[in-house]
Amino acid sequence: MKVFSKEQIYEGDKLTTERQKISSTDLMERAGTQIFNWMHMRMQGAQVPIHVFCGIGNNGGDGLVLARHLITHGYNVFTYIINCSDKRSKDFLVNYDRIKSVSKVWPTMLSCDADFSDIIIEEQDIIVDAVFGIGLNRPPHNWVKALFQKFKDSKAFTLSVDIPSGLYTDQAVDDENAVVNANYTLSFQSPKLVFFLPETAKYTVQWEVLDIGIDRDYLMQTDTEVELIAKNEVLPLYKPRDKFSHKGNYGHVMVIGGSYGKIGAVNLTSHAALSTGAGKVTSYIPKCGYHSLQTALPEVMVVTDENEMEISNISFDIEPTVIGIGIGLGTSQNTAKTFEVFLKNNKIPLVIDADGINLLSKNKTLHKLLPNQTILTPHPKELERLIGKWKNDFEKIEKCKAFSNKYDLILLVKGAHSLTIYKDKIYVNTTGNPGMATAGSGDVLTGVISGLLAQNYEPLAATIFGTYLHGKSADISLENYGYQSLLARHIIKTMGEAYIDLFKQPDQPQEEESKEDKAKQKSKKK
């Protein structure tokens, strides 16, 4: 799914009105009506007090359309207008007149010095936040911040229109008290990037996209900087197997890593590469791990370094398709020298994780030795060592894009919504869960991506698809283990189910058995 920027959304609105020969007021009517339909389908006329708070821009206009439809359908509605400026949008004014024509009680005007203590909002009520939209470009007035705090203190269910008020689409929040904390956000036509970033995702618990009829050609033909990755996006990447294929068709992964006490990391990566479909896997480890790895993974071949405790001289006579390196490797001076020599001589595609990334961070001259489209899979601290500190998520993304452009690398920034960043494109993953916050899950991810690369997936596709499969497998395992008991090995165990799930259709509701059929069944039993 494409994630459109603020500027692209404005352009889409403009083109839609031109091509469909409608007014911007008509488009606003569509948007507000879609929100009403969403609420009406769920509430079915329930007389819960609904407090609709509208700004005086287009987001407020959407709120007025919603309030008008709620009123005409008999709902218990209280409408308020946050009247902190004289700059009202044209479409807001149209809908202000329309709601006055259908309601006996006109919206309550709240100026930014008014006392709103007499507005009573109970916990069982519903708040609709239509104060600010994507056009917000300055911090809200202190009075508005106090109103947002009132929303929060009430503990009422809060539904935001398009985006939680006070949240920007393209910059960080300076004051978290100046943003509405929404239980649910109904986003027009596409989600917003801020729904997925660590610092801003907390402002909406859930979100859903509403189709408001933006011009289809514009949606299809417009390239976006950000894409949301779910099943529909990864399914076209999948490469089916030929009936007459053999293990040689699916590549050879070499996993280089491990040190005394950290052979388990190589075990997980190697196992994951096989479970993802690599034809062969060879693990290159120090001698101390030979017997344990051979015993634990009989399907994996093992080559040992001359050193007993750590890798000190990477030398092998096989020709792997891809190398995954860094897992449990250590960062000793001896290993660092070995890693540098390896990079100077290597021409094979790489996936680099863990201590491999830490070694790159310690010696920045190594960056230029990496093959084009090398995949780096840092967690937040490893990323910070690699690209430097950042002030906020947006600066982090810009630093990642600059780093990727400079060295032609793919960065997989691991997190609740892992971001695959290649040059100026961002791919946001949607699978995974908090149970993955456990030792070894990153090692598994390295194996998954390496296994896909071995099967001739392009590096970017392997990263996007591998991240999706990794998270989906963890989601499947979650059903049996829960958050606290999910282990990295469980993610490997259900990798096959993650593949199978790609081709599952959504469950269809079963038709209720008719009274006539039930009677026939009873008759047969007699």
Side-chain angles (χ1 to χ4, degrees):
M1 178 186 289
K2 294 178 180 179
V3 178
F4 293 89
S5 69
K6 175 174 64 176
E7 292 75 19
Q8 288 174 324
I9 292 170
Y10 289 146
E11 180 65 18
D13 288 351
K14 180 174 177 292
L15 283 175
T16 299
T17 58
E18 292 172 358
R19 293 175 180 177
Q20 297 180 10
K21 297 183 174 16
I22 62 174
S23 68
S24 57
T25 307
D26 295 330
L27 187 59
M28 180 176 286
E29 184 70 21
R30 275 189 202 170
T33 301
Q34 284 291 69
I35 303 166
F36 166 74
N37 291 338
W38 188 92
M39 292 186 70
H40 186 46
M41 184 172 67
R42 287 156 179 79
M43 295 186 67
Q44 295 294 308
Q47 289 301 296
V48 177
I50 303 172
H51 304 267
V52 183
F53 289 86
C54 304
I56 54 177
N58 285 345
N59 196 255
D62 296 330
L64 289 176
V65 174
L66 166 65
R68 171 164 46 87
H69 285 298
L70 288 169
I71 290 167
T72 57
H73 283 76
Y75 285 95
N76 185 15
V77 183
F78 301 89
T79 311
Y80 311 89
I81 293 175
I82 312 305
N83 190 34
C84 290
S85 170
D86 294 329
K87 296 179 180 178
R88 299 170 176 83
S89 77
K90 173 180 69 73
D91 295 324
F92 166 85
L93 290 172
V94 171
N95 281 291
Y96 181 54
D97 288 337
R98 287 179 179 178
I99 195 171
K100 287 194 296 183
S101 70
V102 301
S103 177
K104 294 179 181 178
V105 180
W106 289 5
T108 301
M109 303 295 286
L110 299 174
S111 61
C112 276
D113 56 0
D115 179 11
F116 51 74
S117 59
D118 58 341
I119 298 175
I120 307 301
I121 305 175
E122 303 289 350
E123 187 173 349
Q124 67 271 17
D125 295 356
I126 294 172
I127 295 171
V128 176
D129 156 40
V131 181
F132 301 125
I134 61 174
L136 183 68
N137 56 16
R138 63 181 184 276
H141 190 282
N142 285 337
W143 181 91
V144 178
K145 284 169 52 178
L147 181 64
F148 292 171
Q149 187 61 46
K150 184 180 180 71
F151 294 174
K152 188 175 182 179
D153 292 342
S154 74
K155 299 181 181 179
F157 179 87
T158 301
L159 175 70
S160 283
V161 174
D162 201 27
I163 190 170
S165 289
L167 191 59
Y168 306 100
T169 62
D170 51 7
Q171 66 184 72
V173 173
D174 293 324
D175 183 355
E176 63 179 22
N177 294 317
V179 184
V180 168
N181 287 261
N183 298 93
Y184 217 101
T185 299
L186 296 177
S187 186
F188 297 138
Q189 213 62 61
S190 103
K192 312 297 185 279
L193 176 60
V194 286
F195 296 170
F196 310 103
L197 302 180
E199 294 172 349
T200 51
K202 63 185 177 182
Y203 295 110
T204 184
V205 179
Q206 291 180 280
W207 59 270
E208 187 174 328
V209 169
L210 295 183
D211 184 354
I212 61 170
I214 298 299
D215 183 78
R216 288 293 156 192
D217 288 341
Y218 177 79
L219 295 177
M220 295 293 292
Q221 296 168 10
T222 301
D223 290 327
T224 59
E225 178 186 323
V226 183
E227 290 189 31
L228 194 62
I229 303 300
K231 183 190 289 191
N232 289 340
E233 286 70 35
V234 299
L235 193 54
L237 302 177
Y238 174 76
K239 293 178 181 287
R241 293 202 165 190
D242 183 80
K243 179 179 180 180
F244 295 99
S245 59
H246 55 83
K247 66 183 179 183
N249 296 119
Y250 301 114
H252 188 169
V253 174
M254 171 165 274
V255 179
I256 300 177
S259 53
Y260 184 78
K262 296 180 181 177
I263 301 301
V266 179
N267 180 325
L268 291 167
T269 302
S270 303
H271 194 178
L274 276 176
S275 294
T276 306
K280 295 184 287 184
V281 175
T282 296
S283 300
Y284 190 100
I285 57 174
K287 286 182 180 179
C288 63
Y290 177 76
H291 293 292
S292 63
L293 192 56
Q294 285 275 260
T295 303
L297 284 177
E299 301 91 343
V300 170
M301 297 172 284
V302 180
V303 176
T304 59
D305 189 86
E306 60 190 27
N307 194 301
E308 181 73 25
M309 310 297 276
E310 63 181 8
I311 289 176
S312 60
N313 180 27
I314 300 172
S315 177
F316 49 84
D317 57 4
I318 60 176
E319 295 184 6
T321 314
V322 57
I323 294 175
I325 188 168
I327 311 95
L329 187 65
T331 58
S332 71
Q333 188 175 358
N334 196 15
T335 299
K337 289 180 180 177
T338 302
F339 184 67
E340 181 176 358
V341 171
F342 164 76
L343 290 181
K344 286 178 178 177
N345 296 318
N346 175 66
K347 302 298 179 186
I348 296 168
L350 295 177
V351 182
I352 304 180
D353 186 30
D355 284 332
I357 295 172
N358 291 330
L359 290 170
L360 289 173
S361 301
K362 288 184 174 182
N363 185 354
K364 310 278 188 200
T365 63
L366 301 180
H367 297 171
K368 63 180 182 294
L369 301 177
L370 301 175
N372 290 346
Q373 296 186 49
T374 290
I375 301 164
L376 306 181
T377 62
H379 62 53
K381 269 298 174 186
E382 290 165 350
L383 180 66
E384 185 182 292
R385 297 183 195 113
L386 188 68
I387 66 172
K389 293 185 177 182
W390 53 82
K391 295 176 183 176
N392 54 61
D393 287 335
F394 286 95
E395 186 178 47
K396 175 179 69 177
I397 288 172
E398 290 307 311
K399 280 176 170 282
C400 286
K401 289 194 292 188
F403 188 83
S404 174
N405 274 291
K406 184 176 182 178
Y407 299 108
D408 193 17
L409 304 173
I410 297 169
L411 278 174
L412 173 54
V413 181
K414 293 184 284 196
H417 291 286
S418 293
L419 305 179
T420 297
I421 299 176
Y422 181 53
K423 296 189 173 179
D424 293 320
K425 287 280 287 186
I426 305 167
Y427 303 87
V428 182
N429 189 54
T430 57
T431 58
N433 61 77
M436 300 171 76
T438 185
S441 62
D443 303 325
V444 172
L445 178 57
T446 301
V448 172
I449 295 172
S450 299
L452 291 172
L453 270 178
Q455 295 171 76
N456 206 32
Y457 285 82
E458 293 297 321
L460 183 59
T463 310
I464 294 168
F465 191 22
T467 305
Y468 173 88
L469 285 173
H470 180 249
K472 186 63 182 181
S473 184
D475 290 341
I476 293 168
S477 290
L478 190 69
E479 296 176 14
N480 292 321
Y481 297 102
Y483 292 138
Q484 288 76 15
S485 297
L486 184 67
L487 300 178
R489 72 182 76 158
H490 299 149
I491 301 174
I492 301 172
K493 186 178 179 181
T494 50
M495 190 58 63
E497 293 178 62
Y499 270 116
I500 292 169
D501 181 79
L502 288 172
F503 303 97
K504 279 186 178 179
Q505 298 298 318
D507 292 335
Q508 298 295 322
Q510 294 183 347
E511 292 185 14
E512 187 177 349
E513 191 176 15
S514 70
K515 291 180 181 179
E516 186 179 350
D517 289 336
K518 289 179 181 178
K520 286 179 181 178
Q521 292 297 325
K522 275 188 178 181
S523 175
K524 285 180 182 179
K525 288 178 181 177
K526 290 178 181 178

